[in-house]
Amino acid sequence: MAEWTAGYLGGQGRRQRFLAVLLCLAVLAAALGLAAGPHGIALPRTGLEIEMFWALRLPRVVLALLIGSGLAMAGGLSQAVLRNPLASPFTLGIASGGAFGAALAIILGVLSPWAMAASAFAFALSTSLLVLGLARLKNSRPETLILGGVAVMFLYSAATSLLQYVGTEHQTQAIVFWSFGNLGRAGWNEIAVAAAMILLPAPLLLKLAWDLNALAGGDEAAASLGVDVGRVRLLGIVLSSLMAAGAIAFAGVIGFIGLVAPHAARMCVGSDHRYLFPASALFGAALVTAADAAARTIWAPQVIPIGIVTSFLGVPFFFWLLLRSSREYW
Amino acid sequence: MLQASGLSFAYNGRPVLDGIDLAARRGQVTALLGPNGTGKTTLLRCLLGLLAPGAGRVLADGRDVRALKPAQRARLMAYVPQEVSLRFPMSVFEAVLLGRRPYLGWRPSHADFSVVERVLSGLGLGPLAERDLTTLSGGQRQKVALARALAQETDFLLLDEPTSSLDLKHQIEVLELAAAAARRRGMGVVMALHEVNMAARYADQVALLCGGAMAAQGAPDEVLDAGSIERVYGVAVDRYMDGDGNRGCWFPLRAAEGARQACESIFGAQGET
Ligand SMILES: Nc1ncnc2c1ncn2[C@@H]1O[C@H](COP(=O)(O)OP(=O)(O)OP(=O)(O)O)[C@@H](O)[C@H]1O
Ligand SMILES: [Mg+2]
């Protein structure tokens, strides 16, 4: 085998080792999450504590792992199909759609968690349907999709503001609270549904990996390499919306992960999506789980909303990566 | 054979190509010449099946290119676009390996790697193999794009101004390579080009486009003369021959009236300061 291939394969080996390291990191974060309680890092001892552990802490950690990996993969996918490093599941208005759905449920007085999740999910997905409809009428160029997504985002934000304006003080507070993100709302049934929406599309993402690699060089180049660009782009948007909506419906808006985890992964394993998706998922899972552990212990027994902690924890980490990275811009 | 017949194309109702007939044969280099904005790139996109023609069609070995599956098409025709934009970092090796995408499953095989190795060393890109594509110069990137297309191992190679960013040596190198691909590999090469002299020297067939229509088509000697060049480009040219009288080149003399007027309207008439 000649030297350049050897260099390439060596790089692949390095990436595989990095994935193993990330896996350890995610496991570590999960262990931390399981051990972290209102009394700091401590394992449950009394009967009540053990009961609470199974009923509350374990599902919480599982949900954090799921949500983190789902948002991260959705972000990586939307960056690839929109060919834009600033894209995230929120660029297409998914978060504001979800927030509006939840707000509507709150205003209408439907407070069952399932109904709220369903409403958030439906409206989150509706944004990508609007954007795809626009693409059908005009074209599916990334610029069209991003502009459409941002417009829809503003539309739903305004609608949510309107609901807050007309709602009672109590309702408004509930709406704001929902939008901070919360990992404590879901039980095992909800987790099973979220898992289906986040984990089932994952193999499809890997199947798209080579097409997405080709897309990095532009639509025309990709098309000449045999990629059905329009189909891949629409499929990518549908899948990333599904994953992000699944995450948002049960955990509220947890910002930043969808943008940052894929970039952190890219800095470590490069742009080959065969490695980028697993690495993003592990990064996202570790980050959300660790942030949640911090959220429960820093100010115990108060729990700081997860959406706030991910940003406080994630931004310094991201800056550190950005400064460390030898590339010019990331 | 890659054959366009009666090909017309319009962008959003604005006609660009009008009734183009063109046949690019295997083993031949076909050069598309014509002024900026005349439709060379558009014609290449139609030949590739990336754009749906408004009228007429493109046949590759008798089959309509628009009816081929994308992967089938990619095993038949490779393309080097006029400009390549890259959004995310990628190594030169990975970029060339993408040329194997039409053949790949999940993991590239030894055969894929040996094709990439051959192309990299052939184009002298070996020393850059691990470099990030976004840090290369324009000319280096253009060669990487060509390398990717060669790694695709297709029957037809469509190049859009493949020498536009290259220095003298690399221009000759790339054109020699295109000619060798045609003569030694039997590939059909179609390239849009601006250098009339290079086209005269390396092409078997020249297609002279003007205003979206085919102005002339045939062997370089038949198509290129002072009259046709001045008509199409609006520049008077003179031909210089070497001592034996068997190699000549076109030398631009002066721009036609329009260009001189443009200079005057921007910089003022001559003599004025
Ligand atoms: N995507 C597009 N949408 C609308 N019009 C376009 C588009 N691309 C090209 N055109 C127009 O079509 C005409 C032909 O463009 P084309 O790119 O094929 O020219 P060209 O011969 O390749 O020119 P150049 O030598 O400058 O590369 C031009 O007038 C151009 O303005
Ligand atoms: Mg062009």
Side-chain angles (χ1 to χ4, degrees):
Chain A
M1 182 124 339
E3 54 172 314
W4 307 314
T5 302
Y8 171 78
L9 292 175
Q12 305 261 297
R14 215 159 38 240
R15 291 165 186 187
Q16 281 157 8
R17 284 193 293 282
F18 217 101
L19 285 187
V21 170
L22 284 178
L23 184 63
C24 295
L25 218 64
V27 170
L28 203 71
L32 194 72
L34 289 175
H39 309 301
I41 307 289
L43 288 179
R45 249 160 303 176
T46 66
L48 181 69
E49 275 177 359
I50 291 175
E51 210 170 295
M52 299 266 283
F53 176 86
W54 290 111
L56 296 176
R57 216 181 290 170
L58 185 63
R60 194 178 176 105
V61 168
V62 171
L63 186 67
L65 291 168
L66 265 177
I67 300 291
S69 57
L71 288 174
M73 285 188 283
L77 183 58
S78 55
Q79 287 171 9
V81 293
L82 295 174
R83 287 181 28 82
N84 192 318
L86 296 178
S88 77
F90 300 170
T91 316
L92 293 172
I94 294 168
S96 46
F100 173 78
L104 191 65
I106 290 167
I107 294 287
L108 295 179
V110 203
L111 291 177
S112 111
W114 277 105
M116 260 178 74
S119 172
F121 181 76
F123 280 98
L125 268 191
S126 78
T127 61
S128 65
L129 291 183
L130 278 175
V131 172
L132 289 179
L134 180 75
R136 233 194 136 70
L137 292 176
K138 191 160 166 69
N139 59 42
S140 60
R141 293 167 57 102
E143 294 82 1
T144 313
L145 296 172
I146 290 174
L147 286 176
V150 170
V152 172
M153 184 180 89
F154 279 112
L155 180 69
Y156 274 121
S157 300
T160 306
S161 299
L162 181 68
L163 290 183
Q164 286 178 338
Y165 186 69
V166 301
T168 65
E169 195 176 326
H170 187 71
Q171 288 171 328
T172 301
Q173 203 176 16
I175 292 172
V176 171
F177 191 72
W178 189 91
S179 69
F180 286 159
N182 182 352
L183 291 170
R185 281 195 288 258
W188 287 114
N189 292 332
E190 287 90 339
I191 288 176
V193 175
M197 283 189 291
I198 289 168
L199 297 182
L200 289 182
L204 278 175
L205 260 56
L206 290 176
K207 212 165 158 253
L208 286 178
W210 275 106
D211 288 354
L212 299 175
N213 291 348
L215 212 53
D219 287 10
E220 271 202 322
S224 74
L225 288 168
V227 177
D228 189 342
V229 175
R231 188 186 139 267
V232 167
R233 183 158 288 139
L234 298 193
L235 187 61
I237 286 172
V238 169
L239 290 179
S240 96
S241 307
L242 197 65
M243 292 172 112
I248 287 170
F250 296 109
V253 179
I254 300 177
F256 198 59
I257 295 293
L259 178 69
V260 147
H263 283 299
R266 204 186 305 278
M267 289 177 210
C268 300
V269 301
S271 303
D272 185 340
H273 288 86
R274 290 178 300 161
Y275 296 95
L276 188 58
F277 282 132
S280 305
L282 291 171
F283 249 122
L287 215 55
V288 172
T289 313
D292 179 54
R296 283 180 287 134
T297 44
I298 291 175
W299 212 345
Q302 290 279 346
V303 180
I304 309 170
I306 179 73
I308 296 172
V309 185
T310 46
S311 293
F312 276 149
L313 216 70
V315 173
F317 165 70
F318 189 60
F319 269 36
W320 176 72
L321 269 180
L322 208 56
L323 291 174
R324 254 208 42 186
S325 152
S326 57
R327 292 189 205 284
E328 239 165 88
Y329 44 107
W330 69 75
Chain B
M1 193 164 70
L2 193 58
Q3 187 170 29
S5 46
L7 195 73
S8 298
F9 183 84
Y11 286 109
N12 302 321
R14 209 164 51 79
V16 172
L17 295 177
D18 181 27
I20 301 280
D21 294 308
L22 179 76
R25 290 181 185 77
R26 282 193 170 74
Q28 285 200 344
V29 176
T30 302
L32 303 179
L33 290 177
N36 290 133
T38 200
K40 300 181 295 297
T41 300
T42 308
L43 177 54
L44 287 175
R45 287 179 185 147
C46 288
L47 289 176
L48 278 159
L50 300 183
L51 294 178
R57 55 187 187 159
V58 176
L59 301 179
D61 301 328
R63 285 179 302 173
D64 193 326
V65 291
R66 293 287 296 174
L68 295 175
K69 288 205 187 74
Q72 257 177 327
R73 220 189 292 156
R75 285 191 285 261
L76 190 68
M77 294 183 277
Y79 179 45
V80 177
Q82 191 166 358
E83 274 165 20
V84 192
S85 71
L86 195 74
R87 284 294 162 80
F88 297 107
M90 178 187 291
S91 78
V92 168
F93 191 97
E94 286 174 305
V96 178
L97 186 61
L98 273 181
R100 304 302 296 165
R101 154 75 183 61
Y103 307 92
L104 282 178
W106 171 256
R107 195 188 268 275
S109 70
H110 282 297
D112 294 319
F113 285 131
S114 66
V115 172
V116 173
E117 291 273 341
R118 202 169 57 231
V119 172
L120 281 175
S121 69
L123 282 171
L125 289 171
L128 300 180
E130 293 192 9
R131 281 277 293 278
D132 176 358
L133 209 53
T134 53
T135 68
L136 298 188
S137 79
Q140 289 170 330
R141 245 176 289 167
Q142 204 165 27
K143 283 187 81 175
V144 173
L146 178 66
R148 197 201 61 221
L150 287 173
Q152 230 171 307
E153 294 199 308
T154 50
D155 290 354
F156 295 97
L157 186 58
L158 281 68
L159 311 172
D160 200 350
E161 299 183 27
T163 59
S164 59
S165 320
L166 299 182
D167 68 36
L168 212 51
K169 168 172 169 261
H170 289 107
Q171 282 184 29
I172 296 293
E173 205 177 284
V174 163
L175 291 170
E176 296 275 350
L177 203 88
R183 281 164 212 143
R184 308 242 301 266
R185 265 295 177 75
M187 291 169 79
V189 179
V190 184
M191 55 184 170
L193 217 56
H194 281 309
E195 297 88 353
V196 179
N197 291 312
M198 295 294 185
R201 183 158 155 201
Y202 288 101
D204 302 289
Q205 184 188 203
V206 170
L208 203 51
L209 289 168
C210 189
M214 192 67 78
Q217 191 178 353
D221 288 342
E222 298 164 15
V223 172
L224 297 173
D225 57 48
S228 67
I229 293 174
E230 177 158 6
R231 262 199 314 283
V232 168
Y233 288 103
V235 178
V237 292
D238 215 351
R239 184 152 209 217
Y240 292 86
M241 302 296 288
D242 69 359
D244 308 332
N246 51 18
R247 242 197 292 207
C249 76
W250 300 103
F251 191 79
L253 293 177
R254 61 192 172 275
E257 200 49 37
R260 230 169 348 197
Q261 272 169 7
C263 290
E264 277 175 20
S265 73
I266 296 171
F267 300 113
Q270 253 176 8
E272 239 175 76
T273 38

